[in-house]
Amino acid sequence: MSLTVSNLSFSYGTAPVLQNVSFSLGEGQLYALLGANGAGKTTLFRCILGLNEKYEGSIIVDGSEVRSLTPRQLSHRIAYIPQIHYPAFQYSVLEMVLMGTTHRLSAVASPGKWENNDALQALQTLGIEHLAHRDYGKLSGGEQQMVLIARALVQQTKLLLMDEPTASLDYGNQLRVLYAVRRLARDGYTILLSTHNPQHALSYADRVIALAGGTLAADGPTQEVLSPALLKTLYGVEAVFSSDGRYILPQEVL
Ligand code: ATP
């Protein structure tokens, strides 16, 4: 499953938000999407998900232009994993995960044995099958994020978009989620994950895509492009890297 964004520009009204953004995602790689508040990360996600249709340029997923696909066709190609949220109704974990199978069913069908097995399999892949019959709303934030990832896995697409999956998680759960996501990439998933923590990108991502003011500021292997200069450009932060290159050490921030 491939994604190629070419000369993508998008405006809300007259204000340009994305300008001539081009990159492609290769298979089995974890991409960190970096950028300051307002840089255009969510807008980029919305374009890729067909929600901002009036973009210029092209977004080709698996050979098709995104805006030419119906939502159902798109959900066979891309799974979106939102930040944790609380559903209006009470659902078990299994029911939440089964929601990821609805695009495979006809309008009147309910999930059956196949879908149930797939949902349990997805929970197993993430090591959370013991949660299957718990009330989703009563799980910890880290567990809920894992359930939302499981829901994406049953969509049976290999392209996952993740919107700040570690936001609002404690330190341990941030690492657990990132570790699980990296394992999925090793299993062949292509993942574009937005994050406000460049250390997460440095520790977990194969490649970095960075936006600054709606333009592409970097696109390349993490070790090559994630540099003190890029952190200065993106966040106005002076930083050095540890001598082994594994840790970002911010300097005084004014
Ligand atoms: P954050 O990290 O804070 O979530 P972001 O990188 O996701 O930010 P976007 O949400 O894509 O940034 O916003 C990019 C710009 O577009 C911002 O200036 C924002 O105010 C503007 N914007 C976003 N949504 C709309 C909208 N619906 N109408 C008008 N302007 C918008």
Side-chain angles (χ1 to χ4, degrees), residues 148-161:
L148 294 177
I149 297 172
R151 186 177 66 174
L153 298 189
V154 298
Q155 274 183 239
Q156 297 183 331
T157 161
K158 288 280 187 182
L159 179 54
L160 309 180
L161 297 192

Side-chain angles (χ1 to χ4, degrees), residues 12 17 36-43 164 196:
Y12 293 106
V17 175
N37 288 132
K41 302 179 297 297
T42 304
T43 304
E164 286 186 61
H196 279 303

